[in-house]
Amino acid sequence: MDLIERNVLTLWAGLPDYLRSTIWILIVTVAVILSVAFTTLWERKVIGWMQLRKGPNRVGSVFGLIPGIFQPFADVIKLLVKEVVVPSQANKALFRIAPAITLIPAFATWAVMPLDPSLVIADLDAGLLYVLSLTSVGVYGVILAGWASNSKYAFLGAMRSAAQIVAYEIAMGFALVGVVMAAGTLNLGDIVRAQAGGVSQWFLIWLFPLFVVYLIAGVAETNRAPFDVAEGESEIVAGFHVEYSGIAFALFFLAEYANMILIATLTAVFFLGGWLSPFEGVLPAGHFLAQPGFHWLFVKLFFFLTCFMWYRATFPRYRYDQIMRLGWKVLIPVTLVWIAVEAALVHFGIGPWSTP
Amino acid sequence: MLVQILFYGFSLLLIAAALGVIVTRNPVHSALCLVVAFFTSAALWLLIEAEFLAIVLVLVYVGAVMVLFLFVVMMLDINVEEVRKGFTRHAWVGWVAAFVVIAQIVGVYWFKGLGIDATVGAAPLPEGYSNTRALGEVLYTQYVYPFELAAVLLLVAIVAAIALTMRRRPGLKAQDVAKQVAVRREDRVRLVKMPAERRDEGSAP
């Protein structure tokens, strides 16, 4: 056993760099896709429980233990065999590539995500900017889908989404300015390392207003309830993807959930110390609960992911002008004020961060 | 070798996209071609290890500016005939501008008086060199005043743009959202206490 392990390790070390990173990319991508599949199931389950229902419980109850565990696969197969209808007046090429454009940035962002103390696919110094720029590219898929469908409802959805994302991106960017000021770096791994030393060092505490703003902006950015006016089914049928069917629709669905996982992970990385253990400094250093690792990141992102579903089950949908008001008149001023407060704190040396 | 293939690939794509911006008839397609052009030039910048500039180009132009551009272009009902009126009459301005730009590019390439030698590529940077860090160090020490001046200038532009476009139209019935948000239950619902009534045995409900 030991021999096999050693052989595998030497083989792994002997691989050229690009092959190793390609393998990591494949692993992370497949993991994200599987997580997305099970996130859809988890959402239906959670909302089901909140509404005193059972949720999906038919497909693949393995020995009666986990009823409904294969529901995502059943859904995918169903959507794959359905016809993808392209409206005759649609702009065909754009109509077809729009779902891919929404999906690709959601996956590409994982390249700079610090998953583990030593594991990050691309240790980019401008990682935070990379994240911001890719999340803003995702909106193109929505806009193109709405425009290329040549349908009024889809177009309205696309316009709503564009205005909403531009508005909330500013709040999100400002919230991250605060994180950058506290960490003194744009590198995501270093941002996590800057929060080392126990829960009291997490940016959550000192940057709490920015954390709240980031979380709200994240929900808005992913077009999730209560900010899901881009598809608001009570007003504009299904918004930007009203003309999509089959697997093309599923790609939008996939992108939405991939973005949810992404925002949940980013919140954990920026404000809750990513892969750092919450028991650091409380328990002795050798204790297994005090070790940093991917499992802590997973716990944190799972919490936020569940929060996304909780919001959806709890809040009624915002009215569109109220969304705009919240973004421009509430969230942005809050971030501006807190950045000023933080600058003062940094200047007078109050707080966990040291002036470099 | 790989870098060269990437460079020529992205360059061709960039030129094609740039041509597409001016050649396609549909303004939305033009705007999308411009997005592709921004992306490919960002990729070219990545090849010379200017990752900060590349990412910022995508962030600012693709992520913000072009979204708004598309937003406007999609809503416009452009009469192409109307726009093309006088195309040949004013074409010479375009020719002059194009000539000047081409002359500048050729000048950078052929005359090395500026200290730029465009015939050789950028020298590979040492291991561990961070473009982002280097830019930040220069921007916040040596060029801190120009940098902040530019920031203030942009702020002034924002305020000016808002001041120019904001107008109060009389007779507009807008909702006062602050008032709506401040509504309490007591303003809307009145709970009335009344004794329970016993239903008479004989009468129909």
Side-chain angles (χ1 to χ4, degrees):
Chain A
M1 198 61 207
D2 194 35
L3 190 71
I4 298 171
E5 195 174 307
R6 212 173 325 133
N7 276 338
V8 168
L9 281 180
T10 39
L11 186 69
W12 177 249
L15 287 176
D17 265 348
Y18 64 89
L19 251 175
R20 256 184 298 175
S21 45
T22 312
I23 291 171
W24 271 122
I25 290 169
L26 282 179
I27 292 174
V28 170
T29 312
V30 170
V32 171
I33 292 176
L34 281 180
S35 321
V36 166
F38 286 108
T39 309
T40 59
L41 174 66
W42 179 241
E43 167 160 54
R44 292 169 70 179
K45 276 288 189 192
V46 167
I47 292 184
W49 292 329
M50 285 183 179
Q51 296 168 349
L52 301 180
R53 295 183 284 113
K54 281 187 172 152
N57 64 349
R58 293 290 118 181
V59 190
S61 64
V62 188
F63 310 116
L65 284 177
I66 320 170
I69 188 74
F70 293 133
Q71 184 68 43
F73 302 103
D75 290 342
V76 167
I77 292 168
K78 184 198 100 175
L79 287 166
L80 269 174
V81 297
K82 280 177 109 172
E83 185 189 357
V84 178
V85 182
V86 181
S88 59
Q89 292 298 308
N91 193 317
K92 303 242 168 15
L94 289 181
F95 187 84
R96 288 208 175 89
I97 61 169
I101 295 178
T102 5
L103 192 58
I104 291 166
F107 283 119
T109 320
W110 286 90
V112 293
M113 197 67 77
L115 299 169
D116 201 55
S118 57
L119 173 59
V120 48
I121 294 173
D123 196 11
L124 210 60
D125 263 334
L128 192 143
L129 281 177
Y130 175 83
V131 168
L132 267 181
S133 61
L134 277 191
T135 45
S136 59
V137 169
V139 68
Y140 277 93
V142 175
I143 298 182
L144 286 184
W147 184 76
S149 302
N150 203 358
S151 148
K152 285 201 174 61
Y153 289 125
F155 188 62
L156 278 174
M159 288 295 111
R160 285 179 170 198
S161 171
Q164 180 180 327
I165 286 183
V166 167
Y168 279 81
E169 205 147 77
I170 298 171
M172 200 176 216
F174 271 130
L176 293 184
V177 167
V179 173
V180 171
M181 278 166 70
T185 174
L186 289 170
N187 185 318
L188 294 191
D190 289 342
I191 288 176
V192 172
R193 272 174 219 107
Q195 303 175 58
V199 178
S200 61
Q201 302 293 308
W202 289 358
F203 293 155
L204 173 71
I205 312 251
W206 286 86
L207 305 179
F208 188 73
L210 298 184
F211 163 74
V212 174
V213 167
Y214 186 81
L215 204 58
I216 296 174
V219 178
E221 194 103 328
T222 47
N223 276 331
R224 290 283 303 180
F227 301 109
D228 58 344
V229 288
E231 49 177 286
E233 54 277 84
S234 57
E235 302 148 19
I236 48 173
V237 196
F240 60 95
H241 56 53
V242 68
E243 301 289 349
Y244 282 86
S245 61
I247 200 69
F249 162 75
L251 286 183
F252 281 115
F253 210 65
L254 196 64
E256 182 181 324
Y257 283 79
N259 274 322
M260 267 166 67
I261 300 176
L262 186 72
I263 294 287
T265 317
L266 285 173
T267 316
V269 165
F270 290 139
F271 295 98
L272 274 85
W275 36 258
L276 290 169
S277 159
F279 299 111
E280 203 183 355
V282 180
L283 294 171
H287 199 276
F288 77 99
L289 277 178
Q291 299 300 320
F294 174 71
H295 49 285
W296 290 119
L297 181 64
F298 182 78
V299 169
K300 292 164 189 171
L301 88 86
F302 190 73
F303 170 73
F304 285 119
L305 205 54
T306 312
C307 280
F308 271 97
M309 292 147 198
W310 190 6
Y311 304 148
R312 181 172 166 192
T314 308
F315 296 121
R317 185 177 289 135
Y318 259 74
R319 211 174 61 202
Y320 191 68
D321 62 320
Q322 288 178 338
I323 290 183
M324 283 296 141
R325 177 179 174 274
L326 181 71
W328 289 103
K329 294 188 178 171
V330 179
L331 296 187
I332 293 176
V334 166
T335 52
L336 286 176
V337 166
W338 201 256
I339 285 173
V341 170
E342 191 188 347
L345 289 178
V346 171
H347 184 76
F348 294 112
I350 311 166
W353 43 73
S354 53
T355 7
Chain B
M1 186 57 198
L2 181 68
V3 173
Q4 257 151 17
I5 293 172
L6 285 176
F7 173 77
Y8 285 109
F10 280 123
S11 305
L12 283 177
L13 210 58
L14 174 57
I15 292 170
L19 281 176
V21 175
I22 52 172
V23 169
T24 48
R25 282 164 179 269
N26 190 329
V28 173
H29 291 174
S30 291
L32 289 175
C33 281
L34 196 54
V35 171
V36 176
F38 283 137
F39 254 113
T40 40
S41 30
L44 287 181
W45 280 354
L46 274 184
L47 286 180
I48 54 168
E49 302 181 30
E51 84 272 358
F52 183 82
L53 283 178
I55 294 173
V56 167
L57 179 73
V58 173
L59 175 64
V60 174
Y61 281 94
V62 178
V65 175
M66 288 314 291
V67 172
L68 293 177
F69 236 84
L70 267 180
F71 192 94
V72 173
V73 164
M74 282 177 178
M75 296 223 265
L76 287 180
D77 189 16
I78 297 175
N79 187 353
V80 180
E81 296 305 314
E82 195 71 19
V83 175
R84 298 209 167 188
K85 220 195 278 173
F87 179 78
T88 41
R89 195 149 52 87
H90 301 296
W92 64 273
V93 182
W95 284 116
V96 169
F99 179 76
V100 169
V101 171
I102 290 170
Q104 278 175 334
I105 294 171
V106 171
V108 170
Y109 193 81
W110 286 113
F111 309 114
K112 288 159 188 138
L114 295 166
I116 307 165
D117 191 354
T119 47
V120 295
L125 297 164
E127 186 96 2
Y129 175 86
S130 165
N131 184 270
T132 313
R133 176 171 290 277
L135 250 172
E137 270 163 12
V138 177
L139 215 53
Y140 289 104
T141 52
Q142 200 176 343
Y143 297 108
V144 65
Y145 288 122
F147 182 62
E148 298 201 334
L149 265 179
V152 172
L153 205 64
L154 284 174
L155 186 66
V156 170
I158 294 173
V159 174
I162 294 172
L164 282 176
T165 51
M166 201 160 85
R167 50 177 180 193
R168 299 215 176 274
R169 271 176 288 177
L172 199 65
K173 283 183 185 163
Q175 285 149 329
D176 188 352
V177 183
K179 237 183 223 166
Q180 292 180 330
V181 171
V183 158
R184 291 282 153 266
R185 197 187 66 163
E186 291 76 45
D187 309 337
R188 294 284 166 90
V189 185
R190 191 165 56 95
L191 287 183
V192 184
K193 267 223 178 323
M194 54 189 292
E197 284 176 30
R198 182 185 293 271
R199 186 190 291 159
D200 289 335
E201 288 301 315
S203 64

